[in-house]
């Protein structure tokens, strides 16, 4: 007779499989503070990695080989915010290189810190304009996956041309 799982438990899997019960690390958020948790665990400081990169001068193509130092599938998260999805994907898929781009510097700093604290070498975060990145910095057919989860809607008629996605 196992206990039912609370609604705030991440449904994918529990770390304590042998006991059949979930442990605190399985929770998607901390019930005491109601703060969402970042995926993965913070490693000792000597295992942290540098994850913030520049996109280079305007018009220059982004060189995945130079930035990541290997050939791998290319995954881009446009408007990545603090990198929560990016970090989660990189933890699950170490064989792919993940690049997050956002226009909000504090979000990039936080995401870069969190990815670095997890020792992820397959994640880089960059400050920049996602539309410019796609139109001017990507080689044609160079991306294996493009993710856009929270695009700015730009409701104002004068700003509709800024939309990355239009209905």
């Amino acid at each position: 007779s196992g206990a039912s799982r609370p609604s705030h438990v991440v449904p994918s899997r529990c770390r304590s499989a042998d006991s059949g019960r979930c442990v605190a690390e399985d929770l998607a958020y901390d019930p005491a503070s109601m703060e969402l948790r970042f995926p993965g665990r913070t490693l000792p400081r000597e295992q942290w990695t540098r994850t913030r990169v520049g996109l280079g001068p305007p018009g220059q193509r982004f060189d995945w080989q130079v930035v990541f130092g290997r050939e791998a599938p290319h995954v881009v998260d446009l408007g990545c915010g603090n990198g929560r999805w990016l970090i989660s994907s990189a933890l699950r898929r170490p064989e792919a290189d993940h690049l997050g781009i956002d226009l909000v510097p504090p979000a990039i700093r936080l995401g870069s810190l969190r990815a670095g604290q997890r020792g992820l070498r397959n994640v880089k975060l960059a400050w920049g304009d996602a539309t410019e990145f796609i139109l001017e910095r990507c080689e044609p057919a160079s991306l294996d996956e493009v993710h856009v989860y929270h695009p700015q809607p730009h409701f104002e008629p004068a700003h509709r041309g800024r939309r990355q996605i239009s209905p």
Side-chain angles (χ1 to χ4, degrees):
S1 64
S4 64
R5 294 174 69 177
S7 62
H8 57 269
V9 172
V10 178
S12 60
R13 64 178 179 228
C14 290
R15 287 176 183 80
S16 54
D18 36 318
S19 71
R21 299 185 63 197
C22 293
V23 294
E25 291 80 17
D26 294 318
L27 303 179
Y29 66 88
D30 177 5
S33 67
M34 296 301 290
E35 288 184 22
L36 288 174
R37 295 181 186 207
F38 262 78
R41 297 180 190 273
T42 301
L43 299 175
R45 191 168 181 85
E46 60 274 4
Q47 295 177 17
W48 291 8
T49 58
R50 297 191 58 82
T51 58
R52 202 171 333 166
V53 297
L55 293 177
Q60 178 180 330
R61 297 291 188 178
F62 186 77
D63 190 338
W64 290 80
Q65 178 71 37
V66 169
V67 172
F68 288 94
R70 67 180 187 163
E71 280 296 320
H74 302 153
V75 178
V76 176
D77 185 2
L78 304 176
C80 66
N82 64 18
R84 184 180 307 278
W85 178 86
L86 200 67
I87 292 168
S88 177
S89 179
L91 286 164
R92 288 189 320 270
R93 302 184 302 159
E95 74 283 356
D97 289 336
H98 294 72
L99 175 66
I101 302 170
D102 204 288
L103 276 173
V104 180
I108 292 295
R109 282 192 297 273
L110 177 61
S112 178
L113 173 66
R114 296 294 164 90
Q117 288 174 331
R118 282 142 182 81
L120 294 171
R121 298 185 188 289
N122 64 328
V123 174
K124 303 293 181 193
L125 290 99
W127 176 86
D129 182 271
T131 302
E132 185 261 345
F133 177 80
I134 293 295
L135 296 176
E136 298 180 21
R137 295 177 185 266
C138 283
E139 293 290 337
S142 65
L143 302 177
D144 296 288
E145 296 177 30
V146 177
H147 297 263
V148 182
Y149 292 107
H150 303 285
Q152 292 295 326
H154 293 293
F155 294 116
E156 302 83 10
H159 295 165
R160 287 188 180 153
R162 298 180 185 173
R163 288 180 177 170
Q164 291 175 338
I165 299 173
S166 292

